Structures are given as C-alpha cells and as structure tokens.
Amino acid sequence: MGCSVGPLALDLAKRVLTIHRNKYALIVSTENLTRSLYFGNERSMLVTNCLFRVGGSAVLLSNKWADRKVAKYKIMYTARSHMGAIDMCYRSVYQEEDANGTVGVGLSKDLMKSAALALQHNMRILGPKVLPLSEIFLYTLNQLKVRFSAKGEAKQYIPNFKLAFDNICIHAGGTAVIRAMEKALDLPFKYSEPSHMTLYRFGNISSASIWYELAYEESKGRVKQGNRVWVVGLGSGFKCCSAYLKALKTMDMSCSSQCWSDTIAELPVELPSTSHHCH
C-alpha cells in the first residue's frame, strides 16, 4: 500500500472497532528494504536505495471505555484520497523492469505535482470538518471566483490549516516532498520540523514515519491535552491519507517512544537548503 498506509490503516481499524465492541486493534507499520532493493543503474530507480531505511512502529487502538484513562489520543476524523485514475499520478511511483530486466521502483518528475493534487483532494474532504467557519467561507468565496473568472485570472485560495491544528506530521518522504508541502500549506519550520528531523535521523521509513514524527513532538513536550494533531501520509497510487487526532493528555518523555531518547536533546539541527542523502 506504500508510504501513505499509516492513516489508511487507522481509518480501517476505526471502522472495524465501530462495529465490534470491547475490542483491540493493532496497527503495525514497517519498511522492508530487502524485497525492493534495486541492483541496476537506472537513475530514477536508484533514488529509493538512497532514501529508504528499515524502520517500524506499532499503534494500539481500543474502544473499551476503561481504556480512556490510559489512551493518548482519540481519532476524530480520517480522510483518504486515491488519484490512481490519473495516469500521471499512477505512474509517479511505479515498480517495473529497467532496460536490463532488473526490477525497481522508479520515481518520476511528476511526483511533486501528483503529491500536490492528492493533498488538495484530501484537504477538500477534511477541511469542512476541521477548519473554522471564516476559512470555509473564504475558500467557498474563492471557488466561486475561480469558477466564474476567466481562466488564470483568479488564484486558488489555500485554507490556513494552521488554525485547525496544533501539531502537523507530514510523511518524511524526502526533502523535496517536505519542502513542497511547506510551500503548499504555507507552513513555518516549527510545523515541518518533526518531518525534517525524522528524515535526517532515520531516513524514509515509509508508513512508519508519521508515528516517529509524532513521537518526536511528544519527546519535545509539544503535545498538550486538547491539542489537535494532523498526520498526513503520502505514497504510491498516488495516495494521500490523513487523520485528525485529539490529544487526551499532556505528553512528556515518559509517554513517548524511546526511539528519540539518545538524540532529542541535540535536535533540531540546521539543515542545508539542498540535502543529499546518497553518500
């Protein structure tokens, strides 16, 4: 299912628990490099060898009332977008054979454009549920203006999602992906910091990355009771899956994963404007 499957699995588990009472659901996200390592020389397929690393995470969900006392988050809303009907998006991350018959995953130059389309579609689903009325009004007004204006005259209005969320965890797919999301959502570094630091410390660990990022925010003491958290997965398909979580307690290092315990005090580090992950 690719790098976006974290929130997608969360959506599936939520639906299952809605039907089956007094149950637990376990979501395990992992990146396995062994089956997708590329041994050829096609440049577009070599990128995955440079970015991806082995990683994993697990999320335990419960619908038992007694577990509310120990739960860290409540799932409020989920949104799933699949752009596979558009050929450009479908082939932006694509497994195939190169000229010599070696199987690899190629990343096309349309990857950023595909990610932007998937994100826009996802925001249209989630936006009305989380944005303040003022932003919904401005967006609706802009859509009418775009529709009835001459082509190219009216610019698209991007809602201010910073008003809807306190913490944002965007899939650490690569520096270019994170920068593109910063630009698309007009995010300052404090919102994209967990994504950059996860990529810097662990590389692209696929669908597990958003949970590493959330653990980063917890370890930094930035997740307070009542905080609204947005986790965004982006991956092949092309898909964008996201979830809105509400923090039920204030987090500190004791609540967080130990994956950051040895480096959290040293982070964030200053990042170069252009990062190279191949050495």
Side-chain angles (χ1 to χ4, degrees):
M1 292 297 292
C3 301
S4 63
V5 77
L8 193 154
L10 203 66
D11 176 73
L12 174 61
K14 178 188 175 185
R15 292 168 187 263
V16 171
L17 291 178
T18 301
I19 299 170
H20 301 281
R21 295 294 177 184
N22 295 312
K23 300 291 182 182
Y24 291 110
L26 179 66
I27 299 172
V28 179
S29 302
T30 184
E31 172 57 46
N32 183 353
L33 294 178
T34 309
R35 67 173 299 277
S36 57
L37 199 62
Y38 176 62
F39 294 96
N41 295 308
E42 184 67 37
R43 184 175 294 180
S44 65
M45 294 181 174
L46 283 167
V47 176
T48 54
N49 288 4
C50 303
L51 276 177
F52 284 88
R53 295 293 181 268
V54 175
S57 65
V59 180
L60 181 64
L61 287 82
S62 171
N63 59 10
K64 297 183 179 183
W65 182 256
D67 289 331
R68 186 177 178 85
K69 296 177 182 178
V70 295
K72 295 165 72 173
Y73 299 96
K74 179 181 179 181
I75 305 172
M76 303 302 291
Y77 301 109
T78 52
R80 297 161 54 176
S81 300
H82 197 313
M83 314 306 291
I86 303 172
D87 286 345
M88 176 193 72
C89 298
Y90 182 68
R91 293 192 63 88
S92 60
V93 182
Y94 196 74
Q95 186 180 50
E96 60 185 341
E97 293 182 353
D98 64 13
N100 297 317
T102 305
V103 176
V105 178
L107 305 180
S108 80
K109 293 179 181 178
D110 295 318
L111 179 60
M112 294 301 105
K113 193 183 296 183
S114 300
L117 284 174
L119 182 66
Q120 287 172 14
H121 186 274
N122 199 265
M123 289 192 300
R124 283 198 293 271
I125 299 171
L126 196 64
K129 300 174 182 177
V130 299
L131 288 168
L133 289 175
S134 58
E135 286 298 302
I136 295 173
F137 174 75
L138 289 172
Y139 178 75
T140 305
L141 199 65
N142 174 257
Q143 289 302 296
L144 291 171
K145 188 176 180 181
V146 169
R147 184 174 180 178
F148 294 107
S149 299
K151 190 174 181 180
E153 278 189 9
K155 290 185 177 181
Q156 287 279 358
Y157 175 73
I158 304 299
N160 186 0
F161 274 79
K162 298 187 292 293
L163 297 175
F165 299 108
D166 304 294
N167 309 87
I168 299 177
C169 301
I170 300 166
H171 167 56
T175 302
V177 173
I178 302 171
R179 299 287 190 204
M181 294 304 104
E182 285 175 338
K183 184 177 181 181
L185 296 170
D186 191 26
L187 296 178
F189 181 73
K190 75 170 187 175
Y191 286 101
S192 60
E193 180 186 325
S195 303
H196 281 295
M197 292 305 105
T198 298
L199 184 66
Y200 171 81
R201 174 70 177 82
F202 298 104
N204 183 339
I205 44 180
S206 191
S207 58
S209 70
I210 55 171
W211 308 121
Y212 279 68
E213 293 163 24
L214 188 52
Y216 179 88
E217 290 288 83
E218 292 174 358
S219 299
K220 284 289 187 181
R222 295 173 182 166
V223 182
K224 311 295 183 184
Q225 184 176 3
N227 268 27
R228 300 156 299 172
V229 181
W230 189 26
V231 292
V232 185
L234 298 159
S236 58
F238 195 92
K239 299 185 295 294
C240 176
C241 304
S242 68
Y244 162 31
L245 311 175
K246 186 175 182 180
L248 299 178
K249 60 174 69 173
T250 297
M251 312 292 173
D252 56 29
M253 196 60 187
S254 64
C255 299
S256 182
S257 164
Q258 294 301 305
C259 64
W260 293 102
S261 59
D262 60 334
T263 55
I264 193 67
E266 303 164 8
L267 299 173
V269 296
E270 186 176 350
L271 297 172
S273 55
T274 303
S275 297
H276 301 279
H277 298 277
C278 300
H279 300 285

